[in-house]
Amino acid sequence: VTRGARPSRLFRQIYAAVVGAVVLFAASVAAVRYFEPRRGPEAAASDELRHVLALHWLLGLLLFLAAAAVAAYPLARRLTGRLDRLRAEVRRFGEGNLDARVSVEGGDEVAELARGFNAAAERVQALVRAQRQLLANVSHELRTPLARLRMSVELLPGDAGSEPRRSMIADLHELDTLIGDLLVASRLESGAPLERVEDVDLLALAAEEAARSGAEVTGASVSVRGDPRLLRVLVRNLLENARVHGRASAVCAEVRADAAGACLRVRDAGPGVPEAERERIFEAFHRVPGRSQASGGSGLGLALVRQIARRHGGEARCLAQDGPGACFEVRLKGAAPPTT
Ligand SMILES: Nc1ncnc2c1ncn2[C@@H]1O[C@H](COP(=O)(O)OP(=O)(O)O)[C@@H](O)[C@H]1O
Ligand SMILES: [Mg+2]
């Protein structure tokens, strides 16, 4: 309770509970003392009468206790129930749902806390939104000068295949990939609905992308509802990873329908992913330690793969392998054989 301010309701509730407990305690002590066996001439009073009186006192005390318990219950319930609801709602925000707000009930400190939380959540959300917008804008604005730079490098006089020029073009390509991935990531994180939703033939998509990277594709046609551009980013990232991190081993993509929807698996026979890293590689910019970083990737690839899979009601995982190599699995829901 802030000094000087009128006692709040929460304070009064706690105060009433404490006062009630004290009164109860005092009543019990008084009762015990009153019926203590006395010595001396008064003790001669009729034992029978004292017994009757004691019984009444005991009954009264029990009633008093029951009344106090009944009255205190809804009070405590109300207080803790509201705190429980508040906690559940705050947790939703903590889990990343920045739209989550808590409901404000009553006018005491708990309500004040809820109001304060909502104001803070509002500010956090605005800040995050501004940051994302900034990142998206910067990424977008970087694209044009980057394209100009690339063109200038290609037009430089001298040997077109010279090593410095090749490495410059490779660096520019890496930057371009990073910017592209950042743009997709910021679009996904903004929580905006998918731009285009169509029936996409996952096998055909995998075959197209595999043709670019020289991978083998097997399986059956499965159609999934989703954003074709995002699904392409997903497939391309997995195939690109298998090609680059799989150290030029044979890469195989398999598409099939399963009970829950569609399943895509991309396998290679490279060094694989150690058990302890199988979850962490899905974090943005996390790479298997000790491996060459010169992959040309942005470090966002698998984070995007997982985000895209989840936006399509699915999940992406790195499976445990018996032999060498890595196997990535993406499950997407809502699949049906293509209607052609
Ligand atoms: N097929 C694979 N085989 C072995 N390691 C892989 C494979 N795919 C991904 N990884 C590991 O996961 C890390 C994260 O991948 P990714 O998010 O695509 O970033 P990037 O490819 O830019 O390094 C990679 O750096 C690599 O260490
Ligand atoms: Mg990658």
Side-chain angles (χ1 to χ4, degrees), residues 177 181 236-238 240-242 244-245 287 295-302 305:
T177 313
D181 286 352
R236 184 176 297 174
N237 268 308
L238 287 181
E240 194 61 15
N241 275 355
V244 174
H245 304 296
R287 293 172 162 124
S295 67
S298 67
L300 278 173
L302 288 177
V305 166

Side-chain angles (χ1 to χ4, degrees), residues 241-319:
N241 275 355
R243 187 180 69 80
V244 174
H245 304 296
R247 310 238 173 99
S249 62
V251 175
C252 172
E254 184 197 336
V255 178
R256 62 188 163 80
D258 70 4
C263 174
L264 164 75
R265 282 191 180 164
V266 177
R267 282 198 186 80
D268 64 64
V273 182
E275 165 85 64
E277 296 290 326
R278 251 170 237 148
E279 264 306 301
R280 294 207 63 195
I281 51 173
F282 286 95
E283 289 169 19
F285 302 112
H286 183 81
R287 293 172 162 124
V288 175
R291 301 251 173 100
S292 159
Q293 309 280 297
S295 67
S298 67
L300 278 173
L302 288 177
L304 279 184
V305 166
R306 179 166 272 181
Q307 259 182 318
I308 294 170
R310 289 187 176 166
R311 278 305 286 275
H312 288 82
E315 184 55 289
R317 287 183 305 146
C318 176
L319 301 183

Side-chain angles (χ1 to χ4, degrees), residues 168-192:
M168 254 201 266
I169 290 178
D171 283 345
L172 287 173
H173 176 71
E174 194 175 325
L175 262 177
D176 198 48
T177 313
L178 173 61
I179 291 169
D181 286 352
L182 278 175
L183 276 171
V184 176
S186 68
R187 194 148 28 94
L188 281 171
E189 275 173 10
S190 72

Side-chain angles (χ1 to χ4, degrees), residues 64-288:
F64 187 66
L65 235 160
V70 166
Y73 184 80
L75 195 85
R77 231 4 249 195
R78 199 176 105 80
L79 200 65
T80 52
R82 286 169 60 213
L83 285 174
D84 277 347
R85 279 195 294 283
L86 194 63
R87 195 174 47 191
E89 286 165 336
V90 169
R91 190 181 300 140
R92 272 199 300 137
F93 185 82
E95 280 163 357
N97 179 3
L98 298 187
D99 285 321
R101 295 289 179 273
V102 303
S103 40
V104 179
E105 306 168 38
D108 56 21
E109 270 104 333
V110 180
E112 202 48 55
L113 185 69
R115 226 172 271 125
F117 174 82
N118 282 346
E122 200 67 47
R123 273 199 300 279
V124 168
Q125 191 182 29
L127 268 172
V128 169
R129 204 179 281 146
Q131 293 278 339
R132 278 181 189 153
Q133 196 58 49
L134 182 73
L135 189 65
N137 290 346
V138 167
S139 307
H140 190 73
E141 293 302 317
L142 276 173
R143 279 229 140 139
T144 320
L146 198 66
R148 279 204 301 266
L149 201 60
R150 192 164 171 172
M151 204 139 76
S152 316
V153 169
E154 274 161 7
L155 291 176
L156 275 180
D159 179 9
S162 71
E163 187 45 40
R165 188 184 297 196
R166 277 228 310 276
S167 90
M168 254 201 266
I169 290 178
D171 283 345
L172 287 173
H173 176 71
E174 194 175 325
L175 262 177
D176 198 48
T177 313
L178 173 61
I179 291 169
D181 286 352
L182 278 175
L183 276 171
V184 176
S186 68
R187 194 148 28 94
L188 281 171
E189 275 173 10
S190 72
L194 298 177
E195 268 173 29
R196 270 162 55 192
V197 177
E198 300 170 5
D199 288 320
V200 181
D201 183 348
L202 201 57
L203 184 70
L205 183 63
E208 267 173 51
E209 287 301 316
R212 282 166 47 113
S213 69
E216 187 195 329
V217 181
T218 61
S221 273
V222 193
S223 148
V224 289
R225 295 267 326 147
D227 184 324
R229 272 200 304 184
L230 290 179
L231 291 173
R232 187 177 292 277
V233 169
L234 180 151
V235 173
R236 184 176 297 174
N237 268 308
L238 287 181
L239 288 169
E240 194 61 15
N241 275 355
R243 187 180 69 80
V244 174
H245 304 296
R247 310 238 173 99
S249 62
V251 175
C252 172
E254 184 197 336
V255 178
R256 62 188 163 80
D258 70 4
C263 174
L264 164 75
R265 282 191 180 164
V266 177
R267 282 198 186 80
D268 64 64
V273 182
E275 165 85 64
E277 296 290 326
R278 251 170 237 148
E279 264 306 301
R280 294 207 63 195
I281 51 173
F282 286 95
E283 289 169 19
F285 302 112
H286 183 81
R287 293 172 162 124
V288 175

